[in-house]
Amino acid sequence: MALAAGEDALIEDFGLHIGRAMGWPPMAGRTSGVLMLSEKPLTLAELQEALDASKGSASEMTRLLIDNGVVERFKEPGSRQFVFRWRDDAWVGCLQHQVTVNRELLELAENAQVRGKHLPAEQRGRLRQMRDYYVFMTEQLEALLTEYTRLAKGER
């Protein structure tokens, strides 16, 4: 897959900035850039070529991006091969991933608070703060997801 003029530099920017901001390896950022800019879904082999990456690396990066809600894997009608594409609702998917992560951490915090009732006051306070933080974050992210989903659908 040949990249258009200027896309190489843009994809490297994705690798550097998205990768760092999301805590991803630079290759995941580059993979997101390739898929976001691609005019069509790409096979794993096409991704490998575009990224100059091994099959294992390309596979691992697509799995990370799928888990983070921005890429989807599917088979096109009549094809036996899976392809990958940037989701049309990628930013909703990304926000949904953040909600899911915070819900999981809220569950951990709630369980830790119950299981830590026997701890000294200072440690119980830390567990309470952790729970309070994840209650706040989860509520806020859920509200953002509702609002952003509405905006993404063109509702005002």
Side-chain angles (χ1 to χ4, degrees):
M1 179 191 123
L3 298 174
E7 284 185 11
D8 265 340
L10 184 55
I11 288 167
E12 289 306 316
D13 281 349
F14 272 75
L16 179 65
H17 298 288
I18 289 180
R20 184 178 18 198
M22 296 298 291
W24 297 343
M27 182 63 75
R30 291 180 63 231
T31 304
S32 69
V34 167
L35 289 168
M36 187 186 291
L37 298 175
S38 178
E39 294 178 9
K40 66 178 186 70
L42 301 176
T43 65
L44 192 57
E46 291 170 326
L47 266 174
Q48 283 178 252
E49 180 185 334
L51 297 164
D52 191 26
S54 69
K55 182 177 183 178
S57 179
S59 179
E60 185 178 337
M61 295 307 108
T62 55
R63 196 168 30 255
L64 175 72
L65 296 174
I66 290 167
D67 289 347
N68 277 268
V70 296
V71 167
E72 60 188 352
R73 174 183 180 250
F74 66 99
K75 286 185 182 178
E76 293 184 296
S79 176
R80 297 183 325 171
Q81 204 168 24
F82 282 102
V83 291
F84 302 89
R85 75 173 162 208
W86 189 257
R87 285 176 45 173
D88 291 338
D89 65 345
W91 304 114
V92 171
C94 185
L95 191 49
Q96 179 60 60
H97 173 72
Q98 295 300 318
V99 168
T100 300
V101 166
N102 275 270
R103 283 181 185 153
E104 289 176 15
L105 292 170
L106 173 56
E107 185 176 328
L108 167 67
E110 287 173 338
N111 289 335
Q113 192 173 17
V114 168
R115 292 173 63 195
K117 286 187 177 190
H118 68 282
L119 295 172
E122 185 174 357
Q123 285 79 10
R124 286 193 323 269
R126 291 176 187 160
L127 293 175
R128 185 184 63 254
Q129 288 173 348
M130 178 182 174
R131 183 194 161 281
D132 292 349
Y133 173 80
Y134 284 111
V135 164
F136 174 81
M137 290 301 293
T138 301
E139 288 173 354
Q140 296 302 306
L141 287 169
E142 286 172 344
L144 284 172
L145 177 60
T146 299
E147 179 67 11
Y148 186 75
T149 300
R150 190 178 63 77
L151 291 173
K153 289 179 181 177
E155 301 169 12
R156 294 284 168 199

